[in-house]
Amino acid sequence: MLKGEGDIPSGLVDPAFRADVLAGLARRPRAIPARWFYDRRGSELFEAITELPEYYPTRTEIGILERIGAEVRDLVGEGRAVVEFGSGSSTKTPILLRAVAPSAYVPIDISGDFLRESSRVLAAQFPDLPVLPFEADFMRPLALPGAIGGSAKLGFFPGSTIGNMTPLAAIDLLRAMRASLAEGAMLLIGMDRIKDAAVLEPAYDDAAGVTAAFNLNLLARINRELDGTVPLDAFAHVARWNDDRARIEMHLAATRDVDFTVDGRPFAMATGETIHTENSHKYGPRDARILLRGGGWTPVAEWTDPAGLFAVILAEA
Ligand code: AVI
C-alpha cells in the first residue's frame, strides 16, 4: 500500500493527493501523509535507502528471515495461503515462500501497476505456485479471492511498515488484517525496535543524502503534479527522534521565509517552520506484544538479530 505508486500520467492527478497536500499545508502543524512519498522516483529512492550503511532495518530483517525459516515452518505448518500486505519484496518474499511451501501467494496492494510487475517476477521464480495479485486497500477488511478457498492463511507484513502508522491506526490495521484473514490465521510481522537516537537518527539522515532526497522528492512531486512553485532550495531535510512518542519524525524545514503556490493556492512559511512528512514508530518487546494484542493477535514466537535492532514476530488470530 505504501510503496510503489506509479507516476500518474500527465494531466491526471490523484484527487486524494491534491486534497491531502492542500489540507496538510493549510493546517498547523503542517503535515502531509507519508504515503505520497512513493511515486516512481520516491520508490527508487526508497530502494536506495534500504542499501545504505546507516539504514539497518532491511538487511537486519532479511538476516532474521533467512535464519528462522525452519522454525516458522514448524509453527505454521505447510500449505497455508500466504497473504502479503503490500506488493512484496523481491528479497524477503522468496525467503518466506521457500520456507513455508504455501498453497498460494496473494500480494495485496492499492497500486495495481507495481503489484502486477512484482507478481510477474515472483510467478517466474515459483512456477508451481498460484500467484493471485489482489488490488485493494488493505486498511479495511477484505473478502480475499475465492481461488484460495478454505486454506488457512499466513499474513506477512514485513519492513516495519506498521511503524509508519500511529499506534491507533496500527491497531485498526491489525484488526482489519485479522478480519480479512479469518479464523485460524497467523501473521508474521516485522517491527523495528527502540534503540539509541545515535543509531536511529543517522538511519534517517544518511551521510550520502539519499533520505534527504527522498524527503525533498515530495516537494518535487507537488511541483510536478499539482502545478506547485515550491522552491526546493528553501527546504532542508530534518530527521529527529521523538522520545516521548518513540518515533523518528521526518520534516521539511524552511531555511528562509518562503512564499509559494500549489494548485493556484498561496502559502507562506517562516524560517524554521516545518512540514511533517513521516513518522516511523519503534517498539520495545512489550510494546510490540501489547500492540498486537490490541489488534486481536496473540504473539506466538519472536526473533531478533544478535544486536536486538529489529524483531520479527509470529502471532495467531
Ligand atoms: C517504509 N518504512 C518502513 C520506512 C521506515 O523506515 O519508516 C520508510 C523510510 N523513511 C525514511 N527512510 C525509510
Side-chain angles (χ1 to χ4, degrees):
M1 193 280 305
L2 287 168
K3 288 190 286 295
E5 287 177 42
D7 279 341
I8 304 257
S10 57
L12 276 183
V13 175
D14 188 332
F17 178 47
R18 178 186 285 110
D20 277 356
V21 169
L22 293 176
L25 289 174
R27 60 178 277 230
R28 300 292 182 277
R30 300 178 206 260
I32 298 174
R35 61 185 285 237
W36 300 115
F37 278 142
Y38 300 96
D39 63 352
R40 196 153 293 275
R41 179 71 187 135
S43 299
E44 284 167 7
L45 286 165
F46 178 70
E47 285 307 313
I49 286 173
T50 64
E51 288 171 14
L52 289 168
E54 297 95 330
Y55 192 76
Y56 58 86
T58 309
R59 82 178 70 88
T60 308
E61 186 179 37
I62 290 170
I64 298 171
L65 290 171
E66 279 170 341
R67 215 186 60 227
I68 66 175
E71 269 180 89
V72 173
R73 186 183 47 241
D74 287 349
L75 290 163
V76 310
E78 288 189 357
R80 284 181 182 257
V82 168
V83 177
E84 181 159 4
F85 297 94
S87 286
S89 133
S90 55
T91 324
K92 296 172 201 171
T93 309
I95 300 173
L96 179 69
L97 297 182
R98 265 183 231 113
V100 301
S103 57
Y105 170 63
V106 184
I108 310 177
D109 203 286
I110 203 163
S111 161
D113 285 354
F114 205 71
L115 182 65
R116 278 184 290 275
E117 209 173 296
S118 55
S119 298
R120 255 196 310 276
V121 173
L122 220 108
Q125 268 182 285
F126 294 86
D128 298 327
L129 177 70
V131 175
L132 308 163
F134 188 38
E135 191 174 340
D137 175 6
F138 60 69
M139 301 299 286
R140 293 183 198 96
L142 297 169
L144 293 174
I148 54 175
S151 353
K153 320 286 186 297
L154 171 65
F156 187 41
F157 195 40
S160 198
T161 303
I162 193 123
N164 295 130
M165 287 152 222
T166 62
L168 202 60
I171 283 174
D172 284 347
L173 172 60
L174 289 165
R175 284 178 189 220
M177 287 174 169
R178 192 179 187 282
S180 301
L181 298 175
E183 260 338 275
M186 298 188 91
L187 175 69
L188 191 66
I189 184 169
M191 288 166 97
D192 197 11
R193 285 264 169 98
I194 295 175
K195 59 188 67 68
D196 208 307
V199 177
L200 283 166
E201 285 180 347
Y204 291 82
D205 191 7
D206 59 281
V210 181
T211 313
F214 174 71
N215 201 3
L216 284 157
N217 179 59
L218 179 62
L219 299 180
R221 182 178 187 184
I222 290 171
N223 285 349
R224 206 170 44 243
E225 292 184 25
L226 300 178
D227 196 21
T229 62
V230 187
L232 268 60
D233 63 354
F235 285 88
H237 166 66
V238 175
R240 56 177 177 239
W241 173 243
N242 180 333
D243 196 57
D244 187 40
R245 297 189 174 217
R247 68 191 192 193
I248 282 282
E249 293 182 2
M250 295 209 319
H251 294 255
L252 288 160
T255 53
R256 55 179 159 85
D257 292 358
V258 64
D259 296 302
F260 55 87
T261 60
V262 175
D263 201 32
R265 303 229 198 139
F267 296 95
M269 289 177 64
T271 310
E273 221 191 309
T274 78
I275 306 168
H276 188 170
T277 49
E278 187 183 57
N279 293 313
S280 193
H281 293 83
K282 311 300 173 187
Y283 291 98
R286 286 190 182 83
D287 312 326
R289 294 198 284 266
I290 290 169
L291 192 82
L292 282 162
R293 285 187 188 277
W297 294 92
T298 305
V300 169
E302 185 174 315
W303 301 270
T304 62
D305 52 296
L309 297 175
F310 197 94
V312 174
I313 305 173
L314 181 69
E316 63 189 6

